[in-house]
Protein backbone atom coordinates (compact mmCIF):
# COMPACT_ATOMS: atom_id res chain seq x y z
CA UNK A 1 0.00 0.00 0.00
CA UNK A 2 1.01 3.64 -0.38
CA UNK A 3 3.48 4.94 2.21
CA UNK A 4 0.98 7.63 3.16
CA UNK A 5 -0.20 7.56 6.76
CA UNK A 6 -3.80 6.33 6.80
CA UNK A 7 -6.35 6.47 9.59
CA UNK A 8 -9.54 4.43 9.32
CA UNK A 9 -12.81 5.72 10.76
CA UNK A 10 -15.83 3.43 10.86
CA UNK A 11 -19.22 5.05 11.42
CA UNK A 12 -21.13 2.70 13.71
CA UNK A 13 -23.57 4.98 15.50
CA UNK A 14 -26.70 4.20 13.48
CA UNK A 15 -29.83 3.08 15.32
CA UNK A 16 -31.09 0.92 12.44
CA UNK A 17 -34.78 1.49 13.14
CA UNK A 18 -35.82 -0.34 9.96
CA UNK A 19 -34.16 -3.49 11.34
CA UNK A 20 -36.32 -3.52 14.47
CA UNK A 21 -36.87 -5.70 16.48
CA UNK A 22 -33.27 -6.87 15.81
CA UNK A 23 -32.03 -3.43 16.91
CA UNK A 24 -34.20 -3.02 19.99
CA UNK A 25 -31.30 -4.11 22.20
CA UNK A 26 -28.22 -3.46 20.04
CA UNK A 27 -26.69 -1.07 17.54
CA UNK A 28 -27.31 -1.79 13.86
CA UNK A 29 -23.66 -2.65 13.22
CA UNK A 30 -23.73 -5.18 16.10
CA UNK A 31 -26.54 -7.22 14.52
CA UNK A 32 -25.35 -10.81 13.92
CA UNK A 33 -24.92 -11.94 10.34
CA UNK A 34 -23.96 -15.12 8.53
CA UNK A 35 -23.92 -17.37 11.57
CA UNK A 36 -20.69 -16.24 13.24
CA UNK A 37 -20.27 -12.57 12.35
CA UNK A 38 -21.59 -9.15 13.21
CA UNK A 39 -22.23 -6.60 10.48
CA UNK A 40 -19.27 -4.44 11.50
CA UNK A 41 -16.87 -7.35 10.88
CA UNK A 42 -17.14 -6.83 7.11
CA UNK A 43 -15.94 -3.21 7.13
CA UNK A 44 -13.22 -3.94 9.69
CA UNK A 45 -12.01 -7.02 7.78
CA UNK A 46 -11.74 -5.03 4.56
CA UNK A 47 -9.65 -2.36 6.27
CA UNK A 48 -7.38 -4.75 8.19
CA UNK A 49 -6.88 -7.09 5.22
CA UNK A 50 -5.70 -4.02 3.28
CA UNK A 51 -3.14 -3.11 5.93
CA UNK A 52 -5.10 -0.23 7.48
CA UNK A 53 -4.51 -1.01 11.14
CA UNK A 54 -5.21 2.24 12.97
CA UNK A 55 -8.99 2.34 13.16
CA UNK A 56 -11.47 4.30 15.28
CA UNK A 57 -15.04 3.02 15.47
CA UNK A 58 -17.45 5.85 16.31
CA UNK A 59 -20.40 4.53 18.31
CA UNK A 60 -23.48 6.01 19.94
CA UNK A 61 -26.75 4.05 19.91
CA UNK A 62 -27.06 1.13 22.39
CA UNK A 63 -23.40 0.41 21.91
CA UNK A 64 -22.61 -1.98 24.78
CA UNK A 65 -22.60 -5.23 22.80
CA UNK A 66 -20.80 -3.51 19.92
CA UNK A 67 -18.11 -2.10 22.21
CA UNK A 68 -17.68 -5.49 23.85
CA UNK A 69 -17.38 -7.23 20.47
CA UNK A 70 -14.72 -4.78 19.25
CA UNK A 71 -12.62 -4.89 22.42
CA UNK A 72 -12.70 -8.70 22.73
CA UNK A 73 -12.41 -9.57 19.01
CA UNK A 74 -10.40 -6.86 17.29
CA UNK A 75 -7.19 -6.88 19.33
CA UNK A 76 -4.41 -5.88 16.93
CA UNK A 77 -0.71 -5.76 17.75
CA UNK A 78 -0.29 -2.74 20.03
CA UNK A 79 3.51 -3.15 19.98
CA UNK A 80 3.38 -1.96 16.37
CA UNK A 81 0.97 0.85 17.19
CA UNK A 82 -2.01 -0.93 15.67
CA UNK A 83 -5.49 -0.70 17.14
CA UNK A 84 -9.23 -0.91 16.56
CA UNK A 85 -10.72 1.39 19.19
CA UNK A 86 -14.41 1.94 19.93
CA UNK A 87 -15.02 5.63 20.54
CA UNK A 88 -18.38 6.44 22.16
CA UNK A 89 -20.10 9.80 21.74
CA UNK A 90 -18.38 12.02 24.31
CA UNK A 91 -20.03 15.44 23.96
CA UNK A 92 -16.56 16.96 23.68
CA UNK A 93 -17.90 20.11 22.00
CA UNK A 94 -20.93 20.70 24.19
CA UNK A 95 -23.97 19.04 25.75
CA UNK A 96 -25.35 17.41 22.61
CA UNK A 97 -25.11 14.01 20.97
CA UNK A 98 -23.97 13.30 17.44
CA UNK A 99 -26.52 14.71 15.00
CA UNK A 100 -25.22 13.07 11.81
CA UNK A 101 -22.25 11.29 10.29
CA UNK A 102 -20.33 14.52 9.65
CA UNK A 103 -21.00 15.72 13.19
CA UNK A 104 -19.82 12.38 14.58
CA UNK A 105 -16.41 12.88 12.95
CA UNK A 106 -16.33 16.61 13.79
CA UNK A 107 -16.84 15.80 17.47
CA UNK A 108 -13.92 13.38 17.21
CA UNK A 109 -11.44 15.60 15.36
CA UNK A 110 -9.08 15.16 18.29
CA UNK A 111 -8.49 11.59 17.07
CA UNK A 112 -7.39 12.84 13.67
CA UNK A 113 -5.20 15.59 15.11
CA UNK A 114 -3.55 13.08 17.45
CA UNK A 115 -2.77 10.57 14.69
CA UNK A 116 -1.83 13.17 12.02
CA UNK A 117 -2.63 10.97 9.01
CA UNK A 118 -2.23 12.03 5.41
CA UNK A 119 -5.46 10.30 4.46
CA UNK A 120 -8.63 9.44 6.37
CA UNK A 121 -10.62 6.44 5.13
CA UNK A 122 -14.24 6.68 6.30
CA UNK A 123 -16.34 3.52 6.00
CA UNK A 124 -19.87 2.65 7.00
CA UNK A 125 -20.33 -0.30 9.35
CA UNK A 126 -23.50 -1.95 8.10
CA UNK A 127 -22.91 -3.47 4.66
CA UNK A 128 -22.03 -6.98 3.48
CA UNK A 129 -19.24 -7.02 0.88
CA UNK A 130 -15.53 -7.44 0.21
CA UNK A 131 -13.38 -4.55 -0.95
CA UNK A 132 -9.68 -3.76 -1.18
CA UNK A 133 -9.47 -0.11 -0.06
CA UNK A 134 -5.86 0.25 -1.26
CA UNK A 135 -7.04 0.28 -4.89
CA UNK A 136 -9.42 3.14 -4.10
CA UNK A 137 -6.63 5.00 -2.29
CA UNK A 138 -4.33 4.61 -5.30
CA UNK A 139 -7.02 6.05 -7.59
CA UNK A 140 -7.61 8.92 -5.15
CA UNK A 141 -3.92 9.83 -5.19
CA UNK A 142 -3.61 9.47 -8.96
CA UNK A 143 -6.52 11.86 -9.49
CA UNK A 144 -5.29 14.39 -6.94
CA UNK A 145 -8.73 14.25 -5.35
CA UNK A 146 -9.78 15.97 -2.14
CA UNK A 147 -12.31 13.20 -1.50
CA UNK A 148 -13.13 10.01 -3.36
CA UNK A 149 -16.39 8.13 -2.84
CA UNK A 150 -16.94 4.48 -3.78
CA UNK A 151 -20.05 3.89 -5.87
CA UNK A 152 -21.83 0.98 -7.49
CA UNK A 153 -24.42 0.80 -10.28
CA UNK A 154 -27.96 0.06 -9.06
CA UNK A 155 -31.32 0.05 -10.88
CA UNK A 156 -32.35 3.66 -11.40
CA UNK A 157 -35.80 3.03 -9.90
CA UNK A 158 -34.33 1.85 -6.58
CA UNK A 159 -31.69 4.58 -6.29
CA UNK A 160 -34.00 6.91 -4.38
CA UNK A 161 -32.77 5.42 -1.09
CA UNK A 162 -29.08 6.12 -1.82
CA UNK A 163 -26.77 9.02 -2.37
CA UNK A 164 -26.42 9.23 -6.16
CA UNK A 165 -23.30 10.38 -7.99
CA UNK A 166 -23.42 12.16 -11.35
CA UNK A 167 -19.95 11.79 -12.86
CA UNK A 168 -18.37 14.07 -15.44
CA UNK A 169 -17.54 12.73 -18.92
CA UNK A 170 -14.12 11.58 -17.67
CA UNK A 171 -15.93 9.07 -15.44
CA UNK A 172 -14.39 10.05 -12.11
CA UNK A 173 -14.87 13.77 -11.38
CA UNK A 174 -18.16 14.22 -9.53
CA UNK A 175 -20.37 16.86 -11.15
CA UNK A 176 -23.11 16.46 -8.54
CA UNK A 177 -23.83 14.40 -5.45
CA UNK A 178 -27.54 13.98 -4.75
CA UNK A 179 -28.71 12.50 -1.45
CA UNK A 180 -31.75 10.23 -1.92
CA UNK A 181 -33.10 12.10 -4.97
CA UNK A 182 -36.74 11.67 -5.99
CA UNK A 183 -35.63 11.35 -9.64
CA UNK A 184 -32.14 9.80 -9.70
CA UNK A 185 -30.10 10.69 -12.77
CA UNK A 186 -29.02 7.83 -14.99
CA UNK A 187 -25.37 6.84 -15.16
CA UNK A 188 -24.04 8.27 -18.47
CA UNK A 189 -23.95 5.52 -21.05
CA UNK A 190 -25.83 3.10 -18.78
CA UNK A 191 -29.57 3.79 -19.25
CA UNK A 192 -31.72 2.41 -16.45
CA UNK A 193 -28.88 2.48 -13.93
CA UNK A 194 -27.72 5.03 -11.39
CA UNK A 195 -24.35 5.35 -9.65
CA UNK A 196 -25.11 4.85 -5.93
CA UNK A 197 -22.76 5.84 -3.13
CA UNK A 198 -21.63 2.97 -0.90
CA UNK A 199 -20.89 5.34 1.98
CA UNK A 200 -17.15 4.65 1.76
CA UNK A 201 -14.80 7.61 1.38
CA UNK A 202 -11.11 8.51 1.14
CA UNK A 203 -10.37 12.07 2.31
CA UNK A 204 -7.24 14.14 2.31
CA UNK A 205 -6.98 15.10 5.97
CA UNK A 206 -6.91 18.87 5.36
CA UNK A 207 -9.93 18.69 3.04
CA UNK A 208 -11.89 16.69 5.60
CA UNK A 209 -11.07 19.00 8.52
CA UNK A 210 -11.95 22.14 6.56
CA UNK A 211 -15.19 20.64 5.26
CA UNK A 212 -16.26 19.52 8.74
CA UNK A 213 -15.55 22.94 10.24
CA UNK A 214 -17.59 24.65 7.53
CA UNK A 215 -20.43 22.17 7.97
CA UNK A 216 -20.46 22.62 11.75
CA UNK A 217 -20.80 26.39 11.29
CA UNK A 218 -23.78 25.98 8.95
CA UNK A 219 -26.94 26.08 11.07
CA UNK A 220 -29.03 24.91 8.11
CA UNK A 221 -26.99 21.70 7.65
CA UNK A 222 -28.17 18.25 8.63
CA UNK A 223 -24.50 17.44 9.36
CA UNK A 224 -24.41 14.37 7.13
CA UNK A 225 -21.46 13.42 4.95
CA UNK A 226 -23.69 12.30 2.09
CA UNK A 227 -26.44 14.88 2.46
CA UNK A 228 -24.35 17.96 3.25
CA UNK A 229 -20.56 17.60 2.97
CA UNK A 230 -20.32 15.72 -0.33
CA UNK A 231 -22.59 18.07 -2.34
CA UNK A 232 -20.42 21.02 -1.27
CA UNK A 233 -17.17 19.27 -2.17
CA UNK A 234 -18.67 18.24 -5.52
CA UNK A 235 -19.53 21.87 -6.30
CA UNK A 236 -15.97 22.84 -5.37
CA UNK A 237 -14.57 20.31 -7.84
CA UNK A 238 -12.79 18.37 -5.10
CA UNK A 239 -14.87 15.16 -5.27
CA UNK A 240 -14.14 12.10 -7.39
CA UNK A 241 -15.88 8.74 -7.68
CA UNK A 242 -14.37 5.25 -7.65
CA UNK A 243 -16.25 2.49 -9.48
CA UNK A 244 -16.54 -0.42 -7.06
CA UNK A 245 -16.87 -2.86 -9.95
CA UNK A 246 -13.25 -2.10 -10.83
CA UNK A 247 -12.09 -3.37 -7.45
CA UNK A 248 -10.26 -6.70 -7.69
CA UNK A 249 -10.35 -8.54 -4.36
CA UNK A 250 -7.86 -11.42 -4.00
CA UNK A 251 -9.68 -14.75 -4.16
CA UNK A 252 -12.99 -13.25 -5.32
CA UNK A 253 -14.46 -13.91 -8.73
CA UNK A 254 -17.56 -14.90 -10.63
CA UNK A 255 -20.77 -14.01 -8.80
CA UNK A 256 -18.73 -12.87 -5.82
CA UNK A 257 -17.11 -10.03 -7.76
CA UNK A 258 -18.84 -6.71 -7.14
CA UNK A 259 -21.17 -8.10 -4.48
CA UNK A 260 -22.47 -5.43 -2.09
CA UNK A 261 -25.61 -5.51 0.01
CA UNK A 262 -26.87 -2.63 2.13
CA UNK A 263 -28.79 -4.53 4.81
CA UNK A 264 -30.82 -1.65 6.20
CA UNK A 265 -34.18 -3.41 6.12
CA UNK A 266 -35.43 -6.75 7.41
CA UNK A 267 -36.02 -7.98 3.87
CA UNK A 268 -32.54 -7.02 2.62
CA UNK A 269 -31.01 -8.58 5.76
CA UNK A 270 -32.93 -11.80 5.11
CA UNK A 271 -32.13 -11.87 1.38
CA UNK A 272 -28.41 -11.36 2.06
CA UNK A 273 -28.52 -14.46 4.28
CA UNK A 274 -30.23 -16.46 1.54
CA UNK A 275 -27.38 -15.44 -0.78
CA UNK A 276 -25.07 -17.56 1.41
CA UNK A 277 -27.02 -20.81 1.16
CA UNK A 278 -26.72 -21.94 -2.45
CA UNK A 279 -24.23 -24.58 -3.61
CA UNK A 280 -22.58 -21.77 -5.59
CA UNK A 281 -23.39 -18.82 -3.31
CA UNK A 282 -23.71 -15.30 -4.68
CA UNK A 283 -21.45 -14.23 -1.81
CA UNK A 284 -18.96 -16.74 -0.46
CA UNK A 285 -17.71 -16.78 3.11
CA UNK A 286 -14.94 -19.19 2.08
CA UNK A 287 -12.38 -16.80 0.57
CA UNK A 288 -9.16 -17.60 2.42
CA UNK A 289 -7.22 -14.87 0.59
CA UNK A 290 -9.50 -12.12 1.92
CA UNK A 291 -11.13 -13.59 5.03
CA UNK A 292 -13.97 -12.05 6.99
CA UNK A 293 -12.51 -11.99 10.48
CA UNK A 294 -14.34 -12.40 13.78
CA UNK A 295 -14.23 -14.12 17.14
CA UNK A 296 -15.33 -17.75 16.85
CA UNK A 297 -16.93 -18.92 20.12
CA UNK A 298 -15.24 -21.97 21.68
CA UNK A 299 -18.12 -24.36 21.16
CA UNK A 300 -18.02 -27.93 19.82
CA UNK A 301 -18.55 -28.70 16.14
CA UNK A 302 -22.10 -28.92 14.79
CA UNK A 303 -23.78 -32.25 15.35
CA UNK A 304 -26.50 -34.09 13.38
CA UNK A 305 -28.08 -37.07 15.09
CA UNK A 306 -30.86 -39.66 14.57
CA UNK A 307 -31.57 -41.53 11.36
CA UNK A 308 -34.83 -43.33 12.02
CA UNK A 309 -37.69 -42.93 9.55
CA UNK A 310 -38.91 -39.34 9.70
CA UNK A 311 -36.44 -38.58 12.51
CA UNK A 312 -33.35 -37.78 10.44
CA UNK A 313 -31.13 -34.97 11.61
CA UNK A 314 -29.99 -33.17 8.47
CA UNK A 315 -29.32 -29.77 6.95
CA UNK A 316 -29.53 -29.10 3.20
CA UNK A 317 -28.30 -25.96 1.40
CA UNK A 318 -27.70 -24.31 4.76
CA UNK A 319 -25.00 -22.57 6.77
CA UNK A 320 -24.62 -24.25 10.18
CA UNK A 321 -22.37 -22.83 12.90
CA UNK A 322 -20.46 -24.53 15.68
CA UNK A 323 -22.39 -25.60 18.75
CA UNK A 324 -25.53 -26.42 16.73
CA UNK A 325 -27.32 -29.73 17.31
CA UNK A 326 -29.92 -30.94 14.82
CA UNK A 327 -31.51 -33.91 16.55
CA UNK A 328 -33.90 -35.63 14.17
CA UNK A 329 -35.03 -32.37 12.58
CA UNK A 330 -34.77 -30.99 9.05
CA UNK A 331 -33.05 -27.72 8.11
CA UNK A 332 -33.35 -26.36 4.55
CA UNK A 333 -32.00 -23.14 3.03
CA UNK A 334 -31.32 -21.60 6.42
CA UNK A 335 -28.53 -20.01 8.45
CA UNK A 336 -28.06 -21.23 12.03
CA UNK A 337 -25.89 -19.34 14.52
CA UNK A 338 -23.92 -21.00 17.33
CA UNK A 339 -25.80 -22.93 19.98
CA UNK A 340 -29.06 -23.43 18.06
CA UNK A 341 -31.04 -26.60 18.80
CA UNK A 342 -33.47 -28.25 16.37
CA UNK A 343 -35.37 -31.14 17.96
CA UNK A 344 -36.89 -34.27 16.42
CA UNK A 345 -39.39 -33.86 13.58
CA UNK A 346 -38.98 -30.09 13.70
CA UNK A 347 -38.54 -28.19 10.43
CA UNK A 348 -36.55 -25.03 9.79
CA UNK A 349 -37.08 -23.84 6.23
CA UNK A 350 -35.81 -20.68 4.52
CA UNK A 351 -35.01 -18.97 7.81
CA UNK A 352 -32.33 -17.20 9.86
CA UNK A 353 -31.93 -18.47 13.43
CA UNK A 354 -29.63 -16.57 15.78
CA UNK A 355 -27.64 -17.73 18.77
CA UNK A 356 -29.02 -20.28 21.25
CA UNK A 357 -32.54 -20.37 19.83
CA UNK A 358 -34.43 -23.61 20.47
CA UNK A 359 -36.93 -25.21 18.07
CA UNK A 360 -38.79 -27.93 19.92
CA UNK A 361 -40.08 -31.21 18.47
CA UNK A 362 -42.59 -31.02 15.61
CA UNK A 363 -42.30 -27.22 15.46
CA UNK A 364 -42.12 -25.44 12.09
CA UNK A 365 -40.09 -22.30 11.35
CA UNK A 366 -40.53 -20.99 7.79
CA UNK A 367 -39.65 -17.67 6.16
CA UNK A 368 -38.65 -16.24 9.51
CA UNK A 369 -35.85 -14.58 11.49
CA UNK A 370 -35.49 -15.69 15.11
CA UNK A 371 -33.31 -13.49 17.32
CA UNK A 372 -31.12 -14.83 20.12
CA UNK A 373 -32.58 -17.13 22.79
CA UNK A 374 -35.98 -17.50 21.12
CA UNK A 375 -37.93 -20.63 22.09
CA UNK A 376 -40.41 -22.18 19.63
CA UNK A 377 -42.51 -24.56 21.70
CA UNK A 378 -43.52 -28.08 20.75
CA UNK A 379 -45.74 -28.41 17.68
CA UNK A 380 -45.95 -24.64 17.07
CA UNK A 381 -45.52 -22.99 13.66
CA UNK A 382 -44.05 -19.54 13.09
CA UNK A 383 -43.74 -17.82 9.73
CA UNK A 384 -46.44 -20.01 8.18
CA UNK A 385 -49.57 -17.96 9.01
CA UNK A 386 -48.64 -14.28 8.84
CA UNK A 387 -51.89 -13.03 10.34
CA UNK A 388 -51.45 -15.32 13.32
CA UNK A 389 -47.86 -14.08 13.66
CA UNK A 390 -49.08 -10.48 13.83
CA UNK A 391 -51.71 -11.44 16.42
CA UNK A 392 -48.94 -12.88 18.59
CA UNK A 393 -47.09 -9.55 18.42
CA UNK A 394 -44.38 -10.55 15.96
CA UNK A 395 -43.11 -8.25 13.23
CA UNK A 396 -43.89 -9.20 9.62
CA UNK A 397 -41.79 -7.40 7.00
CA UNK A 398 -43.07 -5.97 3.72
CA UNK A 399 -41.67 -9.06 2.01
CA UNK A 400 -43.53 -11.42 4.32
CA UNK A 401 -40.71 -12.42 6.68
CA UNK A 402 -41.74 -13.00 10.29
CA UNK A 403 -39.28 -11.65 12.86
CA UNK A 404 -39.31 -12.81 16.49
CA UNK A 405 -37.45 -10.56 18.92
CA UNK A 406 -34.74 -11.59 21.37
CA UNK A 407 -35.77 -14.01 24.12
CA UNK A 408 -39.41 -14.38 22.99
CA UNK A 409 -41.32 -17.64 23.50
CA UNK A 410 -43.42 -18.71 20.51
CA UNK A 411 -46.55 -20.44 21.73
CA UNK A 412 -49.74 -21.55 19.93
Amino acid sequence: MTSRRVLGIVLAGAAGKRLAPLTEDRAKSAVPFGGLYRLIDFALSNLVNAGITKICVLTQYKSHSLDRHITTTWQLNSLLGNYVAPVPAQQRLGPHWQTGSADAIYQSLNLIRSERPDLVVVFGADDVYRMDPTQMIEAHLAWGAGVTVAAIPVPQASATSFGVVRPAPDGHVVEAFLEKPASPPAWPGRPGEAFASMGNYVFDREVLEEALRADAADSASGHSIGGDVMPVLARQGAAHVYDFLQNKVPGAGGQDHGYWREVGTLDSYFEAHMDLCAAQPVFSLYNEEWPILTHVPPQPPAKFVLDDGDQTGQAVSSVVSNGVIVSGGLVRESVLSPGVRVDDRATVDHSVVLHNARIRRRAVVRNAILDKNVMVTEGVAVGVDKERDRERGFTVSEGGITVVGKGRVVEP
Side-chain angles (χ1 to χ4, degrees):
M1 191 177 71
T2 173
S3 60
R4 302 292 183 96
R5 290 171 57 87
V6 180
L7 174 67
I9 292 180
V10 177
L11 300 171
K17 294 179 180 178
R18 294 181 299 164
L19 277 176
L22 300 179
T23 50
E24 286 181 353
D25 195 41
R26 57 169 78 91
K28 179 182 178 184
S29 51
V31 171
F33 184 86
L36 294 175
Y37 309 94
R38 293 181 185 252
L39 288 176
I40 195 170
D41 290 329
F42 292 85
L44 291 177
S45 294
N46 287 325
L47 293 171
V48 170
N49 284 335
I52 299 171
T53 53
K54 299 177 188 293
I55 304 169
C56 298
V57 181
L58 306 188
T59 68
Q60 178 164 258
Y61 175 87
K62 295 182 180 179
S63 62
H64 172 67
S65 64
L66 176 60
D67 293 342
R68 183 180 60 197
H69 175 71
I70 294 170
T71 55
T72 59
T73 300
W74 288 93
Q75 299 178 13
L76 304 186
N77 192 332
S78 60
L79 288 175
L80 300 178
N82 302 329
Y83 59 86
V84 177
V87 182
Q90 301 176 76
Q91 299 188 340
R92 293 180 61 92
L93 302 179
H96 62 273
W97 298 112
Q98 300 164 1
T99 57
S101 54
D103 185 55
I105 302 175
Y106 180 69
Q107 291 198 40
S108 300
L109 277 177
N110 62 297
L111 304 172
I112 297 175
R113 295 185 183 119
S114 174
E115 199 61 54
R116 302 193 306 275
D118 301 304
L119 303 173
V120 181
V121 176
V122 179
F123 271 32
D126 314 320
D127 305 320
V128 176
Y129 67 112
R130 281 189 179 88
M131 179 182 185
D132 180 359
T134 59
Q135 297 170 35
M136 182 177 170
I137 290 172
E138 290 166 0
H140 173 88
L141 295 173
W143 295 328
V147 59
T148 300
V149 56
I152 187 171
V154 300
Q156 193 173 1
S158 64
T160 55
S161 59
F162 297 99
V164 175
V165 177
R166 189 174 72 213
D170 66 4
H172 61 84
V173 171
V174 177
E175 286 188 340
F177 189 99
L178 309 171
E179 182 71 357
K180 300 180 181 179
S183 300
W187 189 5
R190 301 280 290 270
E193 291 186 335
F195 218 11
S197 166
M198 297 168 60
N200 291 351
Y201 308 90
V202 177
F203 285 93
D204 278 6
R205 176 171 59 86
E206 295 83 358
V207 170
L208 176 61
E209 291 181 349
E210 182 179 346
L212 292 177
R213 283 192 291 266
D215 179 75
D218 182 359
S219 60
S221 173
H223 307 301
S224 163
I225 292 179
D228 302 287
V229 172
M230 284 300 298
V232 172
L233 292 175
R235 289 193 293 270
Q236 295 174 352
H240 292 242
V241 59
Y242 174 78
D243 184 356
F244 175 63
L245 295 185
Q246 301 302 312
N247 198 258
K248 308 295 184 185
V249 177
Q255 297 183 94
D256 210 29
H257 172 69
Y259 181 95
W260 177 76
R261 294 292 183 271
E262 195 275 332
V263 289
T265 67
L266 292 169
D267 287 327
S268 61
Y269 175 81
F270 180 84
E271 290 161 4
H273 274 92
M274 295 302 104
D275 287 344
L276 306 176
C277 292
Q280 298 294 325
V282 181
F283 181 74
S284 174
L285 295 173
Y286 300 92
N287 183 345
E288 295 182 1
E289 295 182 55
W290 199 270
I292 305 303
L293 306 168
T294 196
H295 168 71
V296 179
Q299 293 180 284
K303 185 177 182 181
F304 303 85
V305 295
L306 296 185
D307 186 10
D308 182 14
D310 60 350
Q311 294 186 83
T312 302
Q314 60 179 316
V316 181
S317 298
S318 296
V319 175
V320 180
S321 304
N322 52 325
V324 171
I325 298 177
V326 181
S327 180
L330 173 61
V331 179
R332 290 184 298 222
E333 294 184 55
S334 296
V335 178
L336 307 187
S337 291
V340 169
R341 299 289 187 270
V342 182
D343 292 347
D344 63 284
R345 297 185 177 89
T347 299
V348 179
D349 186 16
H350 208 237
S351 293
V352 178
V353 185
L354 301 186
H355 303 65
N356 301 314
R358 182 72 178 265
I359 296 94
R360 293 288 190 181
R361 62 191 308 268
R362 298 186 183 278
V364 176
V365 178
R366 181 171 294 128
N367 294 322
I369 301 170
L370 308 186
D371 205 341
K372 290 183 177 183
N373 300 314
V374 166
M375 168 76 75
V376 183
T377 57
E378 182 173 344
V380 172
V382 61
V384 177
D385 183 341
K386 302 302 177 181
E387 288 305 315
R388 178 62 185 136
D389 291 341
R390 291 187 182 95
E391 291 172 359
R392 290 183 287 188
F394 305 140
T395 299
V396 178
S397 72
E398 291 183 4
I401 303 303
T402 298
V403 187
V404 182
K406 185 183 290 188
R408 295 286 299 272
V409 177
V410 183
E411 297 178 316

